[in-house]
Amino acid sequence: MSKRTRPIYLDYAASTPADPRVIVRMLEYLGPGSVFANPGSATHALGRAAREAVEAARHEVAALIGARDREVIFTSGATESNNLALSGLARARRERGRHLVSSQIEHSSVLDTLRSLEADGFEVTYVPCDRNGCVDPEEIRRALRSDTLLCSVMHVNNETGVIQDVASIGSICRERGIVFHVDAVQSAGKLPIDLAALPVDLMSFSGHKIYGPKGIGALYLRNDPELVLEPIIHGGGQERGLRAGTLATHQIVGLGEAFRIARLEGATDACRIQGMRDGLWARLRTLSGVELNGASVPRVCGLLSLTFTGVGGESLLFFLGDLALAQGSACASARGEPSHVLKALGRSDAEAEATLRISLGRFTTEDEIESAAQAIAEAYGQMLEVAPRKGGRMGSRTV
Ligand SMILES: Cc1ncc(COP(=O)(O)O)c(C=O)c1O
């Protein structure tokens, strides 16, 4: 493959570029001459205009997910939303119980928050998944106890793209009066979400996975006077006292525009992206030794998690220098450990290392997919020639 000036970007699950329409809107709220004022400054017109823009964005976020405007709280991203949902709920209800339920395949922003709660005296049951990466709602039912406060299960897994049955899990929790939180970072804008019908109490979102800016996210908190969170950031009482700090108007407006575009174009985008993803898999599945994780269960449109048996993922990535893709997951690889998600699927350390996540998005083209398919087939073929498959790895090192 010829050297490109920029790699082909196939890491949309790690971050998406902001849509150019989002950037245009954000610039209206940043510089001198723009509506840059503090949305909390009700004493002048500029402040009030900024507040209007924030509320319009809140409406757009709510509209995509079937929520009411006042159920949307702006945060700095999904990591904060997950922290606020889990810590906030557990600490607000600590007198009522101290047990929480989640799955083994959650994002680190959920797992690490749960670990910090464990250190603080809470008990957590981590439900496993099957070999396809699915969490069985009946396993969740079995894990619930009379002192369970909250259950948290993600909508779409960020490493495999596998869609979890959050409707069934939510119904089980609702029957038992247990609060249900869903991390919807990888599903928002790709799958329909209707919180007017879904039995979900808390849901987390991120801007930079939906063609909005980084550093902004939202938490849905169902409108119910019983559903109280203890804030984790204290200060000026913004966001109904749940998330203090001057509202970042340009980020919030960008998030709103990203959600608006997703509402209007998400379904069409998803269809096109799924077509390209399936085309890529149709090409790669002809290579012997390549396995698709979650092959037989519903998966989100733009993601392939592929295990290349017999080679090291690091070496494969090296040969694929013209492609920007992830080994396992960007978040897990920063730790230098084999992915906890792939391990939960039953993959060995070597297999987890030899797994690449290819994720497509709104700006992916057919040409890019064609070049990527060729590059991957060539690189894998060459590596297998040098190191005929013995189940071992070639020059692999953990990042
Ligand atoms: C499933 C999931 N949850 C949470 C996050 C964290 O989101 P943010 O980067 O907005 O903090 C990510 C990001 O990779 C994710 O994939």
Side-chain angles (χ1 to χ4, degrees):
M1 190 182 166
S2 65
K3 210 73 196 148
R4 294 174 170 256
T5 46
R6 278 174 74 82
I8 296 174
Y9 190 75
L10 293 171
D11 202 11
Y12 278 80
S15 198
T16 59
D19 189 291
R21 291 166 286 183
V22 166
I23 299 169
V24 168
R25 291 284 288 134
M26 289 177 72
L27 289 175
E28 294 166 20
Y29 295 87
L30 260 180
S34 78
V35 186
F36 64 85
N38 191 324
S41 299
T43 49
H44 52 77
L46 267 185
R48 290 192 294 273
R51 165 58 70 179
E52 268 176 37
V54 165
E55 295 314 319
R58 198 187 304 279
H59 183 70
E60 287 302 346
V61 172
L64 178 70
I65 58 176
R68 282 171 279 191
D69 295 6
R70 71 183 316 273
E71 295 175 316
V72 174
I73 301 157
F74 292 117
T75 64
S76 65
T79 297
E80 187 188 324
S81 299
N82 287 341
N83 272 262
L84 176 58
L86 304 180
S87 275
L89 191 284
R91 293 186 207 285
R93 292 201 174 187
R94 67 183 326 152
E95 303 308 325
R96 297 201 214 170
R98 54 192 192 93
H99 182 237
L100 310 165
V101 172
S102 190
S103 85
Q104 291 177 355
I105 55 168
E106 297 300 309
H107 186 261
S108 54
S109 54
V110 164
L111 293 178
D112 282 3
T113 304
L114 292 173
R115 279 182 205 117
S116 89
L117 288 167
E118 283 180 283
D120 213 12
F122 290 91
E123 240 184 277
V124 184
T125 303
Y126 299 93
V127 170
C129 65
D130 64 18
R131 289 192 74 82
N132 274 306
C134 284
V135 175
D136 179 356
E138 288 311 311
E139 291 264 4
I140 296 282
R141 189 195 294 280
R142 280 191 283 280
L144 300 178
R145 306 191 324 209
S146 58
D147 64 339
T148 305
L149 296 176
L150 169 124
C151 171
S152 177
V153 176
M154 70 203 322
H155 195 184
V156 165
N157 185 269
N158 51 301
E159 295 194 38
T160 60
V162 168
I163 303 169
Q164 304 299 339
D165 184 359
V166 291
S168 299
I169 298 173
S171 299
I172 293 169
C173 290
R174 189 92 9 126
E175 271 167 32
R176 300 279 297 266
I178 290 163
V179 174
F180 184 40
H181 166 253
V182 174
D183 176 342
V185 166
Q186 298 287 347
S187 59
K190 299 177 188 129
L191 297 176
I193 296 176
D194 181 10
L195 287 163
L198 264 185
V200 170
D201 302 298
L202 295 153
M203 193 175 258
S204 302
F205 302 96
S206 173
H208 71 109
K209 313 284 183 168
I210 184 170
Y211 309 95
K214 295 177 182 58
I216 186 76
L219 178 66
Y220 160 82
L221 170 64
R222 192 167 61 77
N223 187 24
D224 174 352
E226 283 285 294
L227 205 53
V228 174
L229 301 182
E230 194 176 297
I232 53 174
I233 297 179
H234 304 273
Q238 289 89 347
E239 297 299 84
R240 295 188 284 125
L242 285 164
R243 204 286 180 175
T246 301
L247 292 167
T249 318
H250 63 298
Q251 305 282 81
I252 292 171
V253 165
L255 186 76
E257 181 66 4
F259 272 62
R260 187 187 72 83
I261 296 170
R263 178 166 52 82
L264 299 178
E265 301 174 9
T268 324
D269 260 3
C271 213
R272 191 182 66 85
I273 292 166
Q274 181 153 340
M276 286 191 291
R277 191 238 6 223
D278 291 346
L280 179 59
W281 173 232
R283 295 278 303 273
L284 297 180
R285 71 183 307 166
T286 58
L287 307 173
S288 87
V290 183
E291 291 167 12
L292 173 62
N293 293 302
S296 50
V297 293
R299 285 170 298 115
V300 78
C301 57
L303 202 149
L304 287 175
S305 167
L306 301 179
T307 302
F308 294 83
T309 53
V311 299
E314 270 296 293
S315 322
L316 196 55
L317 270 187
F318 176 78
F319 277 97
L320 293 173
D322 278 352
L323 306 184
L325 30 78
Q327 186 185 15
S329 110
C331 321
S333 58
R335 289 236 165 115
E337 291 159 11
S339 145
H340 66 283
V341 174
L342 297 168
K343 298 281 291 186
L345 260 69
R347 290 287 182 195
S348 66
D349 284 5
E351 286 172 332
E353 267 194 80
T355 299
L356 299 184
R357 180 185 68 183
I358 304 174
S359 49
L360 294 61
R362 186 175 292 164
F363 304 106
T364 306
T365 64
E366 297 278 0
D367 275 359
E368 287 178 327
I369 290 303
E370 178 58 36
S371 303
Q374 261 178 37
I376 294 169
E378 269 172 36
Y380 187 46
Q382 277 170 14
M383 286 181 68
L384 286 179
E385 259 174 44
V386 183
R389 242 171 297 146
K390 294 182 199 125
R393 318 201 306 259
M394 222 188 80
S396 167
R397 86 188 147 76
T398 314
V399 278

